[in-house]
Amino acid sequence: MRFLNAKDEEELNIMAETLPKIKEAATLLKNLSKNKKIRAAYEQREQEIRDELMRMNSAERKGIKIGKQEKTIEIAKSLLSFGVDINIISKILD
């Protein structure tokens, strides 16, 4: 992905001359950039991917939160079974 960080087209051309895969990628990138329909479809797909990642991250955070709540309840029940006062448990787990 180094070619995407090229400062200008001249630098990109120098990289393309030395590495065939970069030349191939640069040519493909130029062709895709010229076609508005393809570029719009690409940008839409990229947005869909970002949206899906956001949904997954949100679900993961929610799952972690639920897991912590369940663990807190489990600890409280365990402490209660040992006869620990509910007020002390509340202070410990708050």
Side-chain angles (χ1 to χ4, degrees):
M1 298 303 271
R2 196 174 78 196
F3 78 97
L4 291 176
N5 294 324
K7 294 175 186 152
D8 53 31
E9 193 168 343
E10 182 180 343
E11 185 178 346
L12 180 62
N13 289 335
I14 292 169
M15 283 189 252
E17 289 174 12
T18 58
L19 299 165
K21 289 290 183 185
I22 288 186
K23 183 176 183 177
E24 183 182 332
T27 302
L28 179 62
L29 182 62
K30 285 178 186 177
N31 290 336
L32 289 176
S33 297
K34 290 177 186 175
N35 187 319
K36 289 183 181 182
K37 266 187 170 178
I38 291 174
R39 187 171 61 235
Y42 169 80
E43 289 171 357
Q44 180 181 357
R45 178 67 183 133
E46 286 293 307
Q47 184 61 47
E48 290 169 359
I49 291 169
R50 284 190 295 276
D51 291 348
E52 180 64 18
L53 286 173
M54 279 184 30
R55 283 190 294 273
M56 289 172 59
N57 287 335
S58 176
E60 182 179 16
R61 285 191 303 274
K62 184 177 180 181
I64 289 170
K65 183 178 179 180
I66 291 170
K68 286 179 179 180
Q69 290 171 342
E70 290 173 351
K71 185 65 177 175
T72 300
I73 292 168
E74 182 182 316
I75 292 169
K77 286 179 179 179
S78 178
L79 290 171
L80 279 172
S81 73
F82 286 109
V84 177
D85 183 78
I86 190 75
N87 294 319
I88 294 173
I89 294 172
S90 178
K91 287 179 184 178
I92 291 171
L93 298 178
D94 191 25

